[in-house]
Amino acid sequence: MILRSRRIWQFGVLVTSLFLVSSPNLAEPEVLNPVKVFYGYEDLLRMAEDKIVQETPAKAFDFLIKAKELNPDPDFRYYNLAARAHMKLGQVFDGIHAYEESIKKKKDQLDLVLYVADFYEKERKQKEALFYTKLYLEQKPNAKYRLYTAAILSRQLGLESDYESYMQFLESDKTFVSEKDALQASLLKNIKNKKWKEADDLSLRYLVYFPREETMYETLILARRGRESELLEQAYQWTTTIFLNETRYFTRYGVFLQEKQRYLEALSLFRRGFYNLLKFYPDSDAGEILFLIRQSYANLGKDRDTLAIDSLVKDFKNQNKLTATELENHQNTYRKNREYLLFCIHWFSKRDTTKAKEYRQKLKDRDMEFEETEFLRVMGVFSALPQDL
C-alpha cells in the first residue's frame, strides 16, 4: 500500500514538471525597438550625421533622440551634431546653445570656442563673448588678437581694471616699436594711393602691438570705408571703445549709423558724445553734437525733443548768464528731454549740489520710464556703461 502511494506521488511530480516546462509564458512579451536592438550609440551618431550631410537635418533628431536614450550623458560629438542640425534648420540660437553644451564636455575645441565667442560679440552680448574669449585665452594665453578682443569687451562692460591689464600686456611686447614711424608712413602711403586692402591688412596686423595708437584706428577706418568693408562698423566700435572719453569718435560712429538709417542707435552714440563733452570737455562748443542729436530726434519724428534741443542750444551758449529760475523754467517746458536733464545736472553741480542731486533722480526716473521704448539697456555696445554726471 505504501509503495503504491509513493508511485502515485512520483507520477504527480513528473506530470507537474512536464507541464511547467512545456506551458507557454502567459506574461505580455516585451516590445523590442529594432533601432535599439540593431544599432549602438556610435551607429546612431553616424546615421544622424548622414542625415545632416544629406540635407535632411530634421530626421537627424530621430537618431539623436535614440542615441541619448542609450547614453543619457552623451559626449561632445552628440551636441555638435545637434548644433549642426539646428543650424541647418535655421534655429541659430538653439544651435549655439548646443555648441555651448559641447564645449562644457570638451573645452579644448578651440575653433568652436572662437565661433561661439564671435557669435555673441556680433549679437552684442559682451558678457557671453568675454566668457568664451577668456576660455580660449586659458588655453592660448599669448593669442594677441584675442587679448585685444578681451580688452575691448572688458571696457564695454565697465571692467576697467581688466581692460587695463590686457592693454598693458599687449603693450609690453616691444617687437615693432623701432619700426613704428616707418609703419605709419607706409599706412599713410597706402591710404593716399587708395590701396584700401593693403592699408586694412597692415593696420589690423600691427594694431595689437600699438593698441592705443590713434593713427592705427584712423587708417583702419579710412581703409574699410574706402573698400566698403562690412567690418567698418567694427572699426568704429573699437575706436570709440579705446578712446571712450572722446567726443569726436562717437560723433563719427553716430554719423555712420545715420547713413544706415539706424537713427535710434545713432542717437545713443550722440548722447554718449554729449555726456563726454559735459564730463570731460565742459568748455568745448556743443554746437555740432547738439545739432546731430536734434537731427536724430527729427528723423525719429520726436517733435517735442527736437524743439527741446533748439532751446538747449541757446542755454548752453548762454550758460554763464543763465539764472537757476530761467534754466528750470526751460527744462520744465521739455521735462522729459534727456539732454536737458543732463545739462541741468552739469549746470547745478557747480552751483547747487542739492538741485544737482534732484536732477540726477529725475534723470533716473526718466530713463526708467523710457527704458523699453528707447532700448536704453540694450542699444549699442555701450549700453552697460552709465551716462549720468
Side-chain angles (χ1 to χ4, degrees):
M1 187 71 175
I2 294 174
L3 290 173
R4 183 171 178 272
S5 298
R6 184 176 180 83
R7 283 195 297 274
I8 292 171
W9 174 79
Q10 288 175 336
F11 178 78
V13 170
L14 176 61
V15 170
T16 302
S17 300
L18 290 171
F19 176 81
L20 289 174
V21 171
S22 60
S23 63
N25 185 358
L26 299 179
E28 187 71 26
E30 182 182 358
V31 178
L32 298 178
N33 188 323
V35 175
K36 283 186 178 181
V37 170
F38 297 112
Y39 299 107
Y41 176 75
E42 298 290 336
D43 300 311
L44 292 167
L45 291 188
R46 282 194 295 272
M47 294 168 75
E49 185 170 20
D50 287 341
K51 294 300 179 184
I52 295 169
V53 172
Q54 294 166 12
E55 301 296 333
T56 54
K59 294 182 179 179
F61 288 107
D62 295 337
F63 298 101
L64 290 173
I65 290 169
K66 299 302 180 184
K68 195 169 185 179
E69 288 177 3
L70 290 177
N71 183 2
D73 185 24
D75 63 5
F76 73 98
R77 296 172 301 161
Y78 166 87
Y79 291 105
N80 283 345
L81 290 170
R84 287 170 57 190
H86 281 302
M87 291 295 190
K88 285 278 183 91
L89 291 167
Q91 300 162 351
V92 178
F93 280 95
D94 289 330
I96 291 295
H97 292 155
Y99 277 137
E100 289 181 284
E101 291 300 318
S102 173
I103 292 169
K104 288 178 185 177
K105 296 287 184 179
K106 193 174 187 293
K107 69 177 185 178
D108 64 349
Q109 301 176 83
L110 296 182
D111 289 343
L112 188 54
V113 172
L114 290 183
Y115 178 81
V116 175
D118 290 343
F119 171 82
Y120 279 125
E121 187 180 0
K122 288 175 184 175
E123 289 293 318
R124 298 183 180 181
K125 295 180 179 293
Q126 292 100 320
K127 186 176 179 181
E128 292 83 353
L130 182 59
F131 174 84
Y132 286 100
T133 300
K134 284 183 173 181
L135 181 60
Y136 182 85
L137 288 170
E138 287 176 8
Q139 301 166 80
K140 294 282 186 178
N142 296 314
K144 291 188 181 296
Y145 182 80
R146 293 299 159 174
L147 285 164
Y148 177 80
T149 304
I152 292 290
L153 293 168
S154 295
R155 180 162 244 200
Q156 290 172 354
L157 289 166
L159 306 173
E160 280 294 306
S161 60
D162 289 352
Y163 162 78
E164 194 60 37
S165 177
Y166 286 122
M167 293 297 279
Q168 288 180 5
F169 186 85
L170 288 169
E171 291 172 328
S172 67
D173 188 336
K174 307 296 184 181
T175 303
F176 298 102
V177 168
S178 61
E179 301 175 28
K180 186 170 78 170
D181 291 341
L183 172 62
Q184 290 180 343
S186 180
L187 282 168
L188 292 174
K189 184 178 179 181
N190 283 325
I191 294 294
K192 184 178 179 180
N193 294 329
K194 297 184 179 181
K195 293 183 177 180
W196 308 123
K197 185 180 185 305
E198 290 82 349
D200 189 345
D201 293 344
L202 203 61
S203 296
L204 193 60
R205 187 180 309 143
Y206 292 101
L207 188 66
V208 294
Y209 294 96
F210 306 101
R212 284 189 262 217
E213 190 65 41
E214 200 165 353
T215 308
M216 292 290 178
Y217 296 90
E218 291 284 355
T219 53
L220 184 64
I221 289 172
L222 288 171
R224 289 186 174 178
R225 182 175 278 278
R227 67 188 298 196
E228 299 181 352
S229 171
E230 294 180 356
L231 296 175
L232 175 57
E233 185 170 0
Q234 181 191 64
Y236 279 121
Q237 288 179 2
W238 288 352
T239 307
T240 48
T241 301
I242 296 297
F243 305 104
L244 188 63
N245 297 337
E246 294 289 342
T247 297
R248 65 187 185 280
Y249 289 116
F250 283 94
T251 300
R252 290 171 64 181
Y253 185 12
V255 169
F256 165 79
L257 293 177
Q258 270 194 339
E259 292 172 357
K260 303 293 184 182
Q261 298 185 358
R262 291 159 60 183
Y263 299 125
L264 193 54
E265 291 176 84
L267 175 61
S268 72
L269 270 296
F270 296 143
R271 281 176 167 174
R272 180 98 204 159
F274 184 59
Y275 163 79
N276 281 355
L277 184 141
L278 293 179
K279 187 173 180 65
F280 302 109
Y281 313 100
D283 298 326
S284 301
D285 180 16
E288 181 185 17
I289 195 72
L290 287 176
F291 169 78
L292 290 168
I293 290 172
R294 183 191 186 283
Q295 195 176 59
S296 296
Y297 282 134
N299 288 327
L300 290 165
K302 295 180 178 292
D303 297 335
R304 192 76 179 161
D305 284 305
T306 304
L307 293 172
I309 300 303
D310 289 336
S311 175
L312 180 55
V313 168
K314 297 174 184 177
D315 284 350
F316 192 93
K317 287 181 179 178
N318 301 318
Q319 59 183 294
N320 293 328
K321 298 178 182 179
L322 270 178
T323 65
T325 302
E326 287 175 329
L327 179 57
E328 290 198 278
N329 285 340
H330 295 166
Q331 191 279 322
N332 281 330
T333 304
Y334 307 104
R335 60 192 184 88
K336 297 293 185 179
N337 180 261
R338 194 179 200 282
E339 287 67 49
Y340 241 125
L341 288 169
L342 206 60
F343 178 68
C344 286
I345 295 169
H346 164 73
W347 195 88
F348 279 111
S349 62
K350 298 178 181 178
R351 297 168 176 85
D352 187 335
T353 55
T354 302
K355 277 288 182 184
K357 184 177 180 181
E358 179 185 323
Y359 277 101
R360 285 190 183 94
Q361 186 58 50
K362 286 183 177 182
L363 180 62
K364 289 180 181 178
D365 293 341
R366 184 262 175 213
D367 282 353
M368 188 173 295
E369 180 180 347
F370 289 91
E371 181 176 0
E372 291 186 8
T373 57
E374 294 186 354
F375 302 100
L376 287 174
R377 302 292 174 244
V378 296
M379 182 59 68
V381 293
F382 304 103
S383 58
L385 301 180
Q387 282 194 47
D388 53 336
L389 296 170

